[in-house]
């Protein structure tokens, strides 16, 4: 067997192995992407109803009240008398008598007597004040004050907690105006807490206390019994733990000052009958505390019970100093910089990520709670980090994390949705799991549905959730309702509960959740009508118009902000479960990336017309809502400002939903063109694109800088439009380049066997073809080439590489081009440095020839519908993606094999291998160092902004490295690997002593 045959066989075997490895890489990529769907079991709430129009019932004029004394009675009677005073008209005089039993915590009561002489007979103080608040609530709702005489009234769920609302939050319009602050920190009390001693601004503290008192009175009237107050380590000195804070450390002094400042807040809640839970992430840290824990335990070892003893000793200290605090509320599943406040040395870390960590933490906290007669609320929420990352949505994970933890002091708190507070999600089946006491979380100001800026009546859905879950789990004993909190505070409308903006709109959901927690069978339509009478008008026609509009509100939200065929599926990707909205990536960013939009199309492929029609239905629904409210008589509204706000919010919603309707049609038709190549789909995309561009300009002109109705962030969408505009032109450029490249290869193939080789440039094409496919002939193929041919060996492959990559990026990503070309340039320069006085043309021919073949593959993929089509296939077609990756990977590695083979005739196998490895190492290490110096997150953000592959909002909110779990030190690891490979290459490439002897 001749050496030529042996080499050919070896080349075939090598190519086969590379293709097999490439196929393995394709399998790994497909597995890593993990894109799959399954139907989501939708909630089945009753269709929204409209309560019959009724006249307002005038309340009695309570001229005599016989009630026990005390702060709880005083607050309840204040609310009752204020409700009567606020009524548009009043009825006859009446007396009210309160008869109270001996059970202070029992909320049960009944009404006796009649409207003229009314008596509340209660089991205890809680029942008595609840009866007073209920009468006041009916009066505010325009309903008869006295109903169901003799009927015992009890609350189904005794525990009804709220967040802190907007207490202590400064309504600074400048902070909201930019709309780009995605911090999740409320910055409550930022004007109360000052950096230096005495650490408290007494004037601001007094103002905040007044806000807190008003907030407590309001939520008590809405039916709530507990409040979650932010903070824990801020109030603890850790005096019982030697070494956390030095004697002169201002952290301890500040903690004492803050504890003394806020203890009266907690005392006030306690005297009004509200339980207080301190709300904190774990691990909660200060710099000295973190240093102490790491110094003592070697790391933040959250599986070590002794670490948790430090925290529970802090609780012992805090409970002794502030007896009104009833417990602690813990979250382990979300933390980090997004919650940090500048200048404030309190932070949190995602450090409790294993089931063993949770067990150690909860065993310590529940033991402390049992000993101190307190309670621990543990939130099952997590953003997906660590082994416990899906305990919120996976019943097996939930059981693994919490099985066996059965302390009577433990309450587990879980969102009612199987995920975050989005529509279209199933009911959270983990709420039917376990033996622990449970509470259900609800959000009034729906952060993902424009922060409550749109009408959004959640009554039927809340009712379905409560009725279903209570039937499945008798351990459920309460709710936690977020009146304000959730998501970034200053990236949406400046609506602050009880303070600024149209907060009355989402007050409806707070009232609904409180009422349904007490009576899951309550008439939700009547509650909505009562809300309309309380805040807007007592005119039956106006109330009917408002309630009819609210009955349409869910269709507008669920169809306008979601694409139904996608939203009704559970979608899984990169080990996570993306939410059902996605095309609006987190709050207000209309995304333009290929990954999300192409997958949405793929999921919706068979229902494109229905998906587009959903947006049109939503727009029609809000148009109808707008017409209903605008048709009301302005004179019938209680406050002209309320009518103006309602009309304004509906105009805003109409603008947004019409904008989104055109955008969804545009992105779906664009993907349809990539999928089918249909001229009709392309024409539809062009029409939709023009409509969207016009509406986007109008939207930004109207709402930019409006803190009440802020413009959506359209940057990512507009970048996507810019890329899409270039797709067809890029496809034509790819076709032209493909023809030229194939022509070059064909000339090389023919020149190897015909006299065509004598033509100008043909020798270069021949050398490139032979060196790429039979690199052992690279040296002979370049002998005797003319200067023109040598230049063409550089210009054709180099130019084709530049042009291919430029087309692939639509001439928009110079970062991508710089990294790719920089790496190749470093590789070639290193190889050239080792070749020195010997001819470089064999290796140039081999590398250039394979680069041409690699470019042909890419250009073929780009030639159909441009870069958009290229990425469409990558995200949506596993078979074609795998074929492409298999061949592309094989060609990529073959380039280095061919380079080494070409060099071996000049340097021998060892030195040739070393030269190639040195070039590879340098080509990896130097760009990696540059990326490391710039910062991986910054580099990925810049690259992704130009390429539009992943959601633009990732970098602005979570960070690409955080979301994809990429270690920030990855560039330095890559640089280290490159350096090692390079050094090995240098070792192999240098002349050894025996080389000199043999020569």
């Amino acid at each position: 067997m001749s050496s030529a045959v042996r080499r050919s066989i070896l080349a075939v075997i090598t190519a086969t192995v590379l293709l097999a490895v490439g196929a393995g890489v394709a399998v790994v990529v497909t597995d890593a992407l993990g894109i799959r769907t399954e139907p989501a079991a939708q909630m089945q709430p009753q269709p929204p109803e409209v309560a019959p129009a009724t006249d307002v019932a005038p309340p009695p004029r309570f001229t005599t009240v016989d009630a026990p004394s005390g702060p709880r009675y005083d607050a309840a009677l204040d609310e009752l008398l204020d409700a009567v005073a606020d009524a548009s008209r009043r009825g006859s005089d009446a007396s009210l008598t309160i008869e109270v039993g001996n059970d202070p915590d029992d909320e049960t009561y009944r009404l006796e007597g009649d409207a003229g002489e009314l008596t509340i007979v209660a089991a205890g103080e809680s029942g008595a004040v609840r009866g007073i608040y209920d009468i006041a609530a009916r009066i505010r709702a325009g309903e008869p004050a006295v109903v169901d005489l003799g009927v015992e009234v009890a609350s189904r769920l005794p525990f009804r907690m709220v967040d802190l609302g907007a207490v202590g939050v400064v309504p600074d319009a400048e902070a909201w105006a930019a709309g780009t602050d995605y911090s999740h920190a409320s910055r409550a009390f930022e004007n109360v807490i000052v950096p230096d001693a005495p650490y408290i601004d007494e004037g601001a503290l007094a103002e905040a206390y007044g806000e807190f008192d008003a907030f407590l009175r309001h939520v008590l009237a809405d039916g709530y019994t507990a409040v979650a107050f932010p903070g824990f380590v801020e109030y603890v000195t850790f005096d019982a733990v030697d070494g956390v804070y030095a004697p002169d450390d201002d952290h301890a002094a500040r903690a004492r000052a803050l504890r003394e400042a806020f203890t009266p807040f907690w005392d006030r809640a306690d005297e009004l009958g509200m339980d207080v839970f301190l709300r904190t992430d774990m691990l909660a840290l200060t710099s000295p505390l973190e240093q102490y824990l790491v110094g003592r335990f070697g790391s933040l070892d959250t599986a070590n019970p002794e670490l948790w003893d430090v925290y529970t000793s802090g609780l012992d200290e805090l409970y002794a100093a502030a007896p009104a605090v009833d417990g602690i509320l813990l979250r382990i599943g979300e933390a980090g910089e997004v919650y940090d406040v500048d200048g404030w040395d309190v932070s949190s870390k995602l450090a409790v990520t294993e089931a063993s960590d949770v067990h150690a933490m909860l065993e310590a906290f529940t033991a402390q709670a049992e000993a101190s007669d307190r309670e621990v609320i543990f939130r099952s929420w997590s953003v997906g980090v660590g082994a416990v990352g899906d305990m919120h949505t996976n019943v097996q994970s939930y059981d693994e994390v919490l099985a066996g933890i059965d302390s009577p002091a433990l309450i587990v708190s879980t969102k009612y949705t199987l995920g975050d507070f989005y529509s279209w999600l199933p009911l959270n089946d983990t709420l039917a799991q376990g033996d622990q006491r449970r509470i259900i979380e609800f959000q009034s100001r729906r952060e993902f549905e424009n922060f409550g800026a749109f009408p959004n009546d959640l009554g039927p859905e809340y009712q379905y959730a409560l009725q279903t879950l209570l039937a499945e789990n008798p351990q459920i004993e309460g709710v936690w309702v977020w009146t304000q909190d959730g998501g970034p505070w200053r990236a949406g409308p400046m609506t602050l509960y009880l303070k600024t903006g149209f907060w009355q709109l989402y007050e409806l959901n707070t009232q609904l959740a409180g009422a349904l927690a007490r009576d899951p069978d309550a008439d939700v339509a009547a509650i909505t009508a009562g809300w309309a009478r309380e805040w807007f008008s007592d005119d039956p026609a106006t109330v009917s118009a408002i309630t009819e509009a609210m009955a349409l509100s869910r269709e507008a939200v669920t169809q306008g902000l979601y694409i139904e065929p996608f939203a009704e599926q559970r979608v899984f990707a990169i080990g996570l479960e993306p939410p059902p909205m996605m095309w609006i990536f987190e709050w207000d960013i209309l995304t333009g990336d290929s990954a999300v939009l192409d997958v949405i199309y793929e999921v919706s492929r068979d229902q494109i017309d229905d998906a587009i029609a959903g947006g049109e239905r939503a727009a029609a629904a809000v148009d109808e809502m707008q017409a209903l409210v605008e048709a009301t008589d302005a004179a019938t509204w209680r406050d002209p400002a309320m009518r103006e706000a309602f009309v304004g919010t509906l105009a805003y919603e109409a603008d947004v939903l019409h904008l989104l309707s055109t955008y969804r049609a545009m992105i779906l038709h664009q993907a349809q063109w990539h999928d089918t190549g249909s001229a009709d789909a392309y024409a539809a995309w062009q029409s939709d694109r023009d409509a969207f561009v016009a509406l986007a300009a109008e939207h930004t002109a109207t709402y930019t800088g409006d803190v009440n109705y802020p413009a959506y962030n359209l940057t990512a969408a507009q970048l996507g439009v810019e890329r899409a505009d270039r797709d067809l032109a890029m496809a034509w450029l790819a076709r032209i380049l493909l023809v030229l490249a194939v022509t070059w290869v064909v000339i090389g193939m023919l020149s190897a066997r015909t006299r065509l080789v004598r033509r100008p440039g043909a020798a270069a094409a021949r050398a490139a073809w032979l060196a790429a496919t039979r690199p052992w002939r690279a040296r002979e193929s370049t002998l005797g080439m003319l200067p023109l041919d040598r230049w063409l060996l550089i210009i054709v492959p180099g130019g084709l590489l530049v042009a291919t990559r430029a087309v692939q990026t639509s001439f928009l990503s110079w970062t991508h081009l710089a990294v790719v070309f920089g790496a190749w340039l470093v590789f070639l320069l290193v190889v050239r440095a080792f070749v020195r006085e010997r001819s470089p043309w064999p290796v140039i021919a081999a590398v250039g020839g394979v680069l041409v073949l690699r470019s042909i593959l890419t250009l073929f993929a780009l030639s159909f519908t441009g870069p958009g089509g290229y990425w469409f296939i990558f995200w949506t077609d596993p078979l074609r993606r795998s074929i492409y990756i298999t061949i592309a990977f094989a060609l990529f590695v073959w380039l280095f094999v061919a380079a080494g083979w070409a060099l071996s005739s000049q340097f021998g196998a060892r030195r040739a291998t070393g030269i190639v490895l040195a070039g590879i190492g340098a080509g990896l290490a130097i760009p990696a160092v540059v990326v490391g110096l710039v910062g991986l997150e910054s580099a990925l953000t810049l690259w992704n902004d130009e390429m539009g592959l992943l959601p633009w909002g990732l970098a602005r909110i979570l960070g690409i490295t955080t979301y994809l779990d990429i270690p920030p030190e990855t560039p330095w690891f890559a640089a280290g690997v490159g350096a090692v490979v390079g050094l090995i290459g240098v070792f192999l490439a240098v002349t050894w002593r025996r080389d000199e002897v043999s020569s």
Side-chain angles (χ1 to χ4, degrees):
M1 183 184 296
S2 66
S3 60
V5 173
R6 286 198 302 273
R7 287 168 176 165
S8 298
I9 293 173
L10 180 59
V12 171
I13 292 172
T14 301
T16 302
V17 170
L18 291 181
L19 287 169
V21 175
V25 171
V27 170
V28 170
V29 170
T30 297
D31 183 64
L33 291 174
I35 300 172
R36 63 182 179 86
T37 64
E38 63 182 48
Q42 297 297 314
M43 298 188 206
Q44 301 295 325
Q46 292 296 314
E49 297 180 356
V50 177
T54 59
D55 291 325
V56 169
R61 198 188 312 265
F62 290 106
T63 56
T64 303
V65 176
D66 182 8
S69 61
R72 298 182 70 182
Y73 292 106
D74 292 343
L77 289 171
D78 285 346
E79 171 62 15
L80 175 61
L81 298 178
D82 286 346
V84 173
D86 291 343
S88 58
R89 54 196 180 93
R90 283 160 289 282
S92 56
D93 293 348
S95 65
L96 176 64
T97 302
I98 313 295
E99 296 181 2
V100 185
N102 297 320
D103 189 342
D105 298 323
D106 190 338
E107 283 193 304
T108 303
Y109 74 89
R110 68 180 184 275
L111 299 182
E112 293 186 350
D114 55 37
E117 296 182 357
L118 184 63
T119 299
I120 298 175
V121 180
E125 185 179 42
S126 293
V129 297
R130 181 49 47 205
I132 299 171
Y133 282 124
D134 283 353
I135 296 172
R138 286 194 294 271
I139 292 171
R140 291 197 182 279
E143 299 171 357
V146 181
V147 296
D148 299 328
L149 289 170
V151 176
E152 187 173 84
V153 178
S155 297
R156 176 66 176 81
L157 298 177
F159 186 91
R160 302 181 296 276
M161 184 166 67
V162 290
D163 60 5
L164 192 62
V167 173
V169 178
V170 178
D172 179 4
E174 289 186 8
W176 268 262
T180 56
D181 181 357
Y182 291 99
S183 170
H184 286 36
S186 72
R187 307 212 305 258
F189 309 116
E190 67 176 345
N191 62 334
V192 173
I193 304 168
V194 295
D196 301 316
Y199 306 112
I200 298 296
D201 183 314
E202 293 296 338
L205 180 68
E207 183 178 348
Y209 182 87
E211 289 181 11
F212 184 63
D213 184 69
F215 172 78
L216 291 177
R217 289 170 176 267
H218 186 86
V219 294
L220 278 164
D222 278 348
Y224 292 93
T225 60
V227 61
F229 199 99
F232 163 50
V233 296
E234 297 93 322
Y235 314 125
V236 178
T237 65
F238 294 102
D239 285 345
V241 182
D242 185 34
V244 174
Y245 296 137
D248 59 347
D249 193 328
D250 62 0
H251 286 81
R254 183 182 295 109
R256 292 188 190 93
L258 264 62
R259 191 166 67 208
E260 291 173 5
F262 289 111
T263 294
F265 287 63
W266 308 329
D267 290 342
R268 178 57 174 165
D270 181 66
E271 70 181 13
L272 291 182
M274 295 280 282
D275 290 340
V276 177
F277 287 83
L278 296 182
R279 176 182 175 185
T280 184
D281 289 327
M282 278 293 159
L283 286 177
L285 298 163
T286 62
S287 297
L289 176 59
E290 182 173 7
Q291 292 168 7
Y292 170 82
L293 295 174
V294 172
R296 178 176 170 185
F297 303 110
S299 67
L300 297 176
D301 181 8
T302 55
N304 187 338
E306 292 185 10
L307 180 143
W308 297 112
D309 289 343
V310 175
Y311 284 95
T312 55
S313 70
L315 275 181
D316 287 335
E317 170 197 334
L318 184 56
Y319 291 155
V325 176
D326 295 279
I328 192 163
L329 190 160
L330 304 172
R331 179 179 69 173
I332 63 168
E334 193 170 354
E337 293 182 2
V338 75
Y339 292 95
D340 291 348
V341 177
D342 290 341
W344 181 235
D345 186 25
V346 176
S347 62
S348 59
K349 288 191 176 180
L350 281 169
V352 185
T353 57
E354 304 291 334
S356 57
D357 303 341
V358 178
H359 289 170
M361 180 187 75
L362 290 182
E363 285 170 5
F365 276 106
T366 55
Q368 191 279 338
E370 291 179 34
S372 61
D373 194 24
R374 298 307 203 283
E375 291 174 316
V376 177
I377 300 176
F378 173 68
R379 294 193 63 203
S380 65
W381 170 251
S382 176
V383 293
V385 177
V388 301
D390 63 346
M391 64 179 171
H392 177 69
T393 57
N394 185 304
V395 293
Q396 288 78 26
S397 297
Y398 179 91
D399 285 342
E400 179 184 355
V401 172
L402 290 166
I405 303 177
D406 55 2
S407 168
L410 176 64
I411 303 171
V412 181
S413 179
T414 302
K415 294 179 181 180
Y416 80 100
T417 47
L418 197 67
D420 216 331
F421 288 120
Y422 291 95
S423 299
W424 294 100
L425 288 177
L427 198 61
N428 197 329
D429 54 358
T430 67
L431 276 161
Q433 297 298 115
D435 299 322
Q436 295 85 14
R437 301 161 62 191
R438 303 298 296 273
I439 60 174
I440 308 171
E441 298 176 14
F442 297 95
Q443 187 181 44
S444 299
R445 183 182 183 257
R446 295 280 278 232
E447 59 183 285
F448 301 109
E449 292 164 359
N450 207 10
F451 300 98
F454 298 158
N456 197 0
D457 187 341
L458 291 163
E461 184 169 303
Y462 282 4
Q463 185 166 57
Y464 171 84
L466 280 165
Q467 289 177 341
T468 304
L469 292 170
L470 288 172
E472 293 179 352
N473 190 351
Q475 303 300 325
I476 294 172
E477 61 182 62
V479 297
W480 179 23
V481 177
W482 304 4
T483 66
Q484 175 75 30
D485 209 356
W489 277 68
R490 293 163 180 82
M494 194 177 75
T495 46
L496 296 174
Y497 192 58
L498 306 185
K499 281 188 173 181
T500 62
F502 196 17
W503 58 267
Q504 292 85 354
L505 202 57
Y506 53 87
E507 166 72 354
L508 169 62
N509 293 324
T510 300
Q511 292 183 351
L512 283 162
L516 289 167
R518 295 187 58 213
D519 179 8
D521 297 323
D523 185 341
V524 293
I527 295 170
T528 300
W531 162 81
R533 283 190 288 267
E534 176 179 358
W535 294 107
F536 306 118
S537 175
D538 55 14
D539 175 67
T542 298
V543 170
S544 289
I546 293 171
T547 54
E548 286 176 33
M550 296 304 294
L552 294 167
S553 65
R554 287 299 288 161
E555 181 178 17
V557 167
T558 58
Q559 293 296 327
L561 300 181
Y562 300 84
I563 298 174
E564 181 175 351
F566 176 81
E568 64 185 0
Q569 300 288 320
R570 293 186 70 180
V571 179
F572 302 87
I574 56 174
L576 301 171
E577 186 174 350
M581 189 175 284
M582 280 312 288
W583 68 310
I584 306 172
F585 185 81
E586 304 294 88
W587 307 296
D588 65 343
I589 300 174
L590 194 57
T591 198
D593 62 284
S594 61
V596 167
L597 300 183
D598 290 344
V599 170
I600 288 176
Y601 169 83
E602 177 64 16
V603 173
S604 310
R605 182 199 302 262
D606 297 330
Q607 303 175 68
I608 294 300
D609 291 341
D610 290 341
I612 293 172
E616 296 168 351
R617 288 198 304 274
V622 75
D623 287 345
E624 185 178 352
M625 295 165 64
Q626 193 174 8
L628 283 165
V629 175
E630 287 182 347
T632 59
D633 183 351
T636 64
W637 286 69
R638 183 170 290 112
D639 182 350
M642 286 291 99
R643 186 178 188 276
E644 181 180 348
F646 218 129
V647 170
T649 202
L650 287 171
Y652 174 53
E653 183 178 15
D655 183 275
V656 169
L657 295 192
H658 281 280
L659 174 73
L660 295 181
S661 180
T662 61
Y663 188 69
R664 85 166 63 196
M666 183 191 78
I667 60 175
L668 292 173
H669 282 137
Q670 176 190 353
Q672 190 176 45
W673 174 58
H674 291 315
D675 182 27
T676 65
S678 164
D680 290 341
Y682 189 79
W685 168 77
Q686 286 182 307
S687 176
D688 298 331
R689 184 270 318 275
D690 293 343
F692 170 73
V693 169
L695 288 176
E698 182 180 343
H699 175 78
T700 53
T702 302
Y703 293 109
T704 297
D706 189 331
V707 296
N708 293 313
Y709 308 120
Y712 266 52
N713 190 327
L714 304 181
T715 301
Q718 290 164 336
L719 289 172
V721 170
E722 183 180 7
R723 286 187 292 269
D725 279 339
R726 300 186 180 203
D727 272 339
L728 187 57
M730 294 303 106
W732 276 108
L733 282 175
R735 294 164 193 169
I736 294 169
L737 291 170
L738 180 61
V739 169
L740 294 175
V742 170
T743 300
W744 173 262
V745 172
V746 170
I747 290 173
M749 294 170 65
L750 294 177
S751 297
R753 298 178 180 274
T754 68
R755 295 179 181 179
L756 184 62
V757 71
R758 299 174 183 175
R759 301 278 184 176
R766 173 183 178 274
W769 170 251
L770 286 175
T773 57
R774 283 153 283 179
W776 57 90
R777 295 183 59 186
R779 186 179 184 186
E780 68 173 79
S781 70
T782 59
L783 293 174
M785 284 197 308
L786 298 174
L788 174 63
D789 293 309
R790 290 177 175 176
W791 277 109
L792 288 174
L793 270 183
I794 297 173
I795 292 171
V796 171
L800 190 60
L801 175 64
V802 171
T804 300
R805 293 302 183 185
V807 169
Q808 188 180 21
T809 62
S810 299
F811 292 87
L812 291 172
S813 180
W814 303 111
T815 303
H816 182 82
L817 298 181
V819 171
V820 171
F821 300 150
W824 280 118
L825 183 61
V826 169
F827 170 77
L828 292 173
L829 289 175
V830 170
V831 171
R832 182 67 183 90
F834 276 101
V835 171
R836 289 187 292 185
E837 71 276 1
R838 304 192 192 192
S839 173
W841 298 111
V843 70
I844 290 174
V847 171
V850 180
L851 280 177
V852 170
L853 297 178
R854 180 68 175 77
S855 296
I856 286 174
L857 176 65
T858 302
L859 290 169
F860 177 75
L862 292 168
S863 66
F864 294 95
T865 57
Y870 174 96
W871 290 110
F872 176 84
I873 295 302
F874 182 85
W875 299 120
T876 66
D877 193 324
L879 177 60
R880 285 192 280 178
R881 176 179 65 229
S882 296
I883 293 172
Y884 180 86
I885 290 174
T886 298
I887 299 172
F889 178 85
L891 284 173
F892 178 73
V893 179
W894 176 254
L895 183 148
F896 301 111
V897 172
W901 215 328
L903 289 167
S904 65
S905 62
Q906 297 170 287
F907 294 91
R910 173 182 59 78
R911 293 188 66 199
T913 300
I915 292 170
V916 172
L917 288 177
I920 292 172
L924 173 61
I926 292 176
V929 168
V930 173
V931 171
L933 292 173
V934 171
L936 181 59
E937 183 63 39
S938 298
L940 286 176
T941 297
L942 179 59
W943 174 77
N944 187 60
D945 286 354
E946 295 171 346
M947 295 291 290
L949 303 184
L950 300 173
W952 181 88
L954 274 181
R956 277 78 190 170
I957 301 166
L958 299 171
I960 296 174
T961 53
T962 298
Y963 193 80
L964 299 182
D965 198 20
I966 303 173
E969 60 274 9
T970 297
W972 299 110
F973 175 78
V977 171
V980 170
V981 170
L983 289 173
I984 292 172
V986 170
F987 175 75
L988 294 174
V990 297
T991 302
W992 293 358
R993 184 175 182 84
R994 68 186 183 191
D995 294 330
E996 297 174 352
V997 172
S998 64
S999 63

